[in-house]
Amino acid sequence: MSDWLLGNEPQVRLAVFLSVFALLLAAQQWAPRRDMALGWRRLLSNVSLVVIGTLLLRIAFPVVAFGLAIRLEADGGGMAALMPDWLAIVGGVVLLDCAIYWQHRLLHKIPLLWRLHRVHHADVGFDVTTAVRFHPIEFALSMAIKLGLIALFGVPALAVLIFEILLNAGALFTHANIRLPATFERRLRWFLVTPEMHRVHHSVHKDETNSNFSFHLSLWDRLFGSYRDQPRDGHTTMQIGLHEFRDSREQTVWALLVNPFRKH
């Protein structure tokens, strides 16, 4: 099974992404947590950014995360040479998940990086399309960091593939505008980031924006002191986005692409 996954990496990732995206789009219509009357222009802008970002990655990087892991694995060494295969795979996924937590915190902490990341936070809505709304330069920066980690620690190729699939599917889930049973959600967030937990991170209040940085495992926020349980204004009435980018003109593709280069 692992050999088949490794040999069909692009198709597997795309199939999982499209399936989860379609499923959550339908779930949002069936059981939305908040009002979703936000329009097709915003949806088009959000999806356009991921298309542009993906094209940039293909042009800027001769090899992406999975390809680098394959090459390093063929040369021997790395995590797989130091521990059993199963432990190297689990350890690789956890390592990358912890790394992306700290990357996320730095994107908020360092002003120059925040200019890139605020494109994501400038969304005045919170739904599954928000998950793909990142500036193309942030896409490239994230890939460069990921490549560095894979090269430094020798993360197994299968661990990279699993993490990439979880990253895409998990981001879609945590941004989905879906209503989960309250008891189930409270139990689930002890292990995984839920939409209810991550929505707090998209609040207009800065102290709430600077909380709940985790992508998959929620333990990082609890462990490193950045966990916030609930938004002060309540989930159905809280304001999403950034105060300075609420006008509809700020939500066009062009406005989002030039956003990091503007003075604010």
Side-chain angles (χ1 to χ4, degrees), residues 3-252:
D3 290 340
W4 183 86
L5 285 173
L6 294 176
N8 295 275
E9 179 261 345
Q11 298 92 324
V12 171
R13 287 185 56 195
L14 182 61
V16 172
F17 174 82
L18 292 177
S19 298
V20 175
F21 188 76
L23 178 64
L24 291 173
L25 274 179
Q28 289 182 159
Q29 298 297 324
W30 179 61
R33 182 70 169 89
R34 292 165 48 94
D35 177 28
M36 288 188 56
L38 295 171
W40 285 95
R41 178 177 295 180
R42 170 184 159 273
L43 182 143
L44 179 62
S45 295
N46 289 358
V47 173
S48 295
L49 283 184
V50 72
V51 172
I52 296 170
T54 302
L55 292 175
L56 176 63
L57 289 184
R58 295 300 177 185
I59 296 170
F61 292 89
V63 60
V64 289
F66 179 74
L68 176 62
I70 287 284
R71 294 184 184 184
L72 294 175
E73 200 168 274
D75 294 334
M79 297 178 69
L82 302 174
M83 58 189 74
D85 289 347
W86 69 267
L87 186 58
I89 292 169
V90 173
V93 172
V94 173
L95 170 69
L96 292 173
D97 195 54
C98 183
I100 204 171
Y101 164 86
W102 283 106
Q103 175 186 317
H104 195 180
R105 288 195 71 161
L106 289 176
L107 286 169
H108 281 251
K109 184 70 174 177
I110 300 173
L112 186 61
L113 297 183
W114 169 246
R115 283 178 167 272
L116 293 173
H117 190 58
R118 74 186 183 189
V119 171
H120 178 66
H121 279 272
D123 197 345
V124 295
F126 183 88
D127 67 14
V128 68
T129 69
T130 308
V132 298
R133 177 189 168 119
F134 291 95
H135 195 277
I137 298 178
E138 185 178 343
F139 267 105
L141 176 63
S142 296
M143 179 57 69
I145 293 172
K146 198 181 305 177
L147 291 173
L149 288 168
I150 292 169
L152 180 63
F153 292 99
V155 181
L158 185 56
V160 173
L161 175 57
I162 292 171
F163 177 75
E164 294 278 61
I165 291 173
L166 291 176
L167 180 63
N168 291 336
L172 293 173
F173 170 69
T174 57
H175 288 88
N177 183 28
I178 56 175
R179 181 181 299 276
L180 297 175
T183 301
F184 172 73
E185 192 276 333
R186 298 301 298 177
R187 291 174 178 172
L188 181 62
R189 73 159 64 186
W190 274 103
F191 306 97
L192 300 175
V193 179
T194 65
E196 207 86 339
M197 176 179 166
H198 190 66
R199 190 180 297 110
V200 178
H201 181 71
H202 282 260
S203 166
V204 294
H205 299 301
K206 189 172 182 180
D207 59 321
E208 294 179 350
T209 304
N210 291 325
S211 70
N212 296 2
F213 295 103
S214 297
F215 269 69
H216 299 117
L217 300 174
S218 61
L219 69 90
W220 306 125
D221 282 300
R222 301 177 193 276
L223 184 62
F224 298 118
S226 54
Y227 177 71
R228 180 120 183 182
D229 186 64
Q230 298 292 328
R232 65 168 64 92
D233 299 327
H235 283 283
T236 58
T237 55
M238 67 180 288
Q239 206 171 27
I240 300 292
L242 301 174
H243 288 299
E244 61 269 39
F245 301 113
R246 305 205 66 80
D247 192 282
S248 60
R249 291 172 295 182
E250 303 286 357
Q251 305 301 319
T252 65

